[in-house]
């Protein structure tokens, strides 16, 4: 019995030693997550503080999920789009006729969930001042008013340059698209009710903050949001720990409409139209 116990404990010790050894040799990872902040500064397309235009109203939506199409780390303010270290590029398709993001293959996450986890070695060694992320999809709660009654609903907002969409649902409401949709396509459903609608925001009306517009522009109609790290992210190639990057997105009054009745309530039934659904700023942070 003592001999059997000794063999069992020896085997267990060997197993624990092996696991410990494997863990110590594991490769450090680059992990990217999203955070939504309604108190973060509200920016315009040039990355400057922005206030609402006269006759407009807005609300800070409650985000459920988000997706992105592209992530790039840029060394400095003159790094042109595509010339930095690209760590993610989502699938695209031409099934809709022209090149588009493939919504069916999009990775959609909630706040704090891991959007990307890859070996840190896939991020080139260097010092990175800026981060760029091409956002593609947003899903959030908004408040609306209809005939003096307030409701809450869910909005699905497609903000990529062009997206091929098959079918999708919001609660029990189903949307069959089966085609490409340009930036600004949206679908809406009242929560727990059989009401839904969809539409298209005006072209190039989605705010895409880019503080580097004068030195490193982005294509019109894209949703490549640019943000600066508080201190440069330095990758030496000798890291032993994971690097966790959080994309802090400003949702400060990011859902904006033109009012018919000046009451701060979004009332689509009286002709109040959405003018902007864009994220209002990016501040990337990291933990090494």
């Amino acid at each position: 019995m003592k001999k059997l116990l000794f063999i069992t404990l020896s085997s267990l010790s060997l197993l624990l030693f092996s696991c410990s050894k494997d863990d110590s040799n594991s490769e450090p990872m680059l992990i990217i997550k999203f955070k939504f902040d309604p108190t973060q500064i509200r920016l315009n397309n040039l990355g400057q503080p922005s206030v609402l235009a006269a006759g407009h109203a807005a609300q800070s939506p409650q985000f459920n999920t988000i997706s992105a199409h592209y992530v790039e780390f840029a060394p400095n303010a003159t790094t042109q789009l595509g010339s930095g270290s690209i760590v993610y590029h989502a699938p695209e398709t031409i099934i809709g006729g022209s090149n588009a993001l493939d919504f069916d293959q999009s990775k959609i996450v909630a706040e704090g969930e891991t959007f990307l986890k890859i070996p840190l070695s896939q991020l080139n060694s260097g010092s990175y001042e800026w981060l760029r992320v091409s956002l593609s999809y947003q899903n959030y709660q908004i408040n609306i008013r209809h005939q003096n009654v307030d409701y809450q609903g869910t909005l699905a907002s497609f903000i990529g340059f062009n997206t091929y969409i098959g079918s999708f649902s919001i609660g029990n409401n189903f949307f069959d698209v089966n085609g490409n949709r340009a930036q600004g396509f949206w679908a809406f459903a009242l929560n727990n009710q059989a009401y839904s609608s969809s539409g298209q925001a005006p072209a190039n009306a989605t705010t895409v903050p880019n503080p580097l517009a004068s030195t490193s522009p982005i294509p019109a109609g894209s949703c490549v949001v640019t943000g600066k790290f508080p201190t440069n992210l330095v990758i030496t190639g000798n890291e032993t720990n994971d690097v966790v990057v959080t994309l802090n997105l400003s949702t400060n009054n990011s859902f904006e409409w033109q009012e018919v009745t000046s009451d701060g309530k979004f009332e689509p039934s009286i002709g109040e139209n959405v003018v902007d659904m864009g994220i209002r700023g990016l501040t990337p942070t990291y933990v090494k």
Side-chain angles (χ1 to χ4, degrees):
M1 181 67 180
K2 292 182 178 179
K3 183 177 181 180
L4 178 60
L5 181 60
F6 174 76
I7 293 173
T8 302
L9 291 176
S10 297
S11 300
L12 181 59
S13 297
L14 181 60
L15 177 61
L16 291 175
F17 176 77
S18 298
C19 290
S20 176
K21 185 177 181 181
D22 288 344
D23 289 343
S24 66
N25 289 336
S26 60
E27 183 175 0
M29 306 297 286
L30 172 66
I31 300 170
I32 293 180
K33 301 179 179 182
F34 288 96
K35 186 178 186 300
F36 310 116
D37 188 354
T39 66
Q40 194 168 310
I41 190 168
R42 185 178 192 267
L43 304 178
N44 62 16
N45 281 323
L46 300 178
Q48 300 169 342
S50 173
V51 297
L52 289 171
H56 287 200
Q59 58 181 280
S60 301
Q62 180 182 341
F63 266 70
N64 299 317
T65 55
I66 197 165
S67 185
H69 170 244
Y70 178 93
V71 179
E72 178 181 9
F73 291 77
N76 54 58
T78 60
T79 304
Q80 300 304 298
L81 181 65
S83 297
S85 184
I86 301 167
V87 297
Y88 180 75
H89 197 136
E92 300 177 359
T93 180
I94 58 171
I95 193 173
S98 58
N99 191 49
L101 314 184
D102 190 346
F103 180 65
D104 286 344
Q105 297 191 64
S106 296
K107 182 168 185 180
I108 301 171
V109 297
E111 181 176 73
E113 288 185 338
T114 296
F115 174 74
L116 182 68
K117 184 176 182 179
I118 59 173
L120 185 58
S121 57
Q122 294 185 25
L123 175 58
N124 296 333
S125 298
S127 179
Y128 296 101
E129 186 178 7
W130 300 86
L131 186 142
R132 296 187 126 153
V133 55
S134 178
L135 301 171
S136 57
Y137 173 75
Q138 305 173 125
N139 182 292
Y140 48 69
Q141 307 294 313
I142 59 170
N143 299 312
I144 71 167
R145 171 166 286 194
H146 177 65
Q147 295 180 347
N148 296 320
V149 179
D150 293 331
Y151 299 91
Q152 189 177 68
T154 300
L155 185 82
S157 170
F158 296 81
I159 54 176
F161 70 93
N162 194 26
T163 306
Y164 177 80
I165 307 167
S167 61
F168 66 99
S169 63
I170 301 176
N172 294 323
N173 297 275
F174 292 86
F175 300 84
D176 293 317
V177 179
N178 298 312
N180 287 352
R181 292 295 183 270
Q183 182 187 70
F185 176 72
W186 56 267
F188 173 80
L190 285 180
N191 293 353
N192 304 316
Q193 298 187 46
Y195 171 81
S196 64
S197 62
S198 62
Q200 182 75 47
N204 298 322
T206 301
T207 294
V208 185
N210 178 21
L212 305 181
S214 62
T215 60
S216 182
I218 60 172
S222 70
C223 198
V224 183
V225 181
T226 304
K228 186 178 183 180
F229 286 105
T231 59
N232 283 19
L233 171 61
V234 178
I235 301 297
T236 65
N238 297 317
E239 286 78 11
T240 57
N241 297 324
D242 294 342
V243 174
V244 181
V245 176
T246 300
L247 309 186
N248 301 282
L249 300 175
S250 173
T251 60
N252 187 345
N253 283 334
S254 62
F255 182 80
E256 183 179 349
W257 65 91
Q258 189 166 13
E259 291 211 292
V260 173
T261 299
S262 298
D263 57 2
K265 302 285 187 177
F266 178 47
E267 300 179 72
S269 60
I270 64 172
E272 294 188 342
N273 295 316
V274 178
V275 296
D276 200 341
M277 297 180 288
I279 286 292
R280 285 297 183 153
L282 165 65
T283 300
T285 57
Y286 62 86
V287 177
K288 299 180 71 175

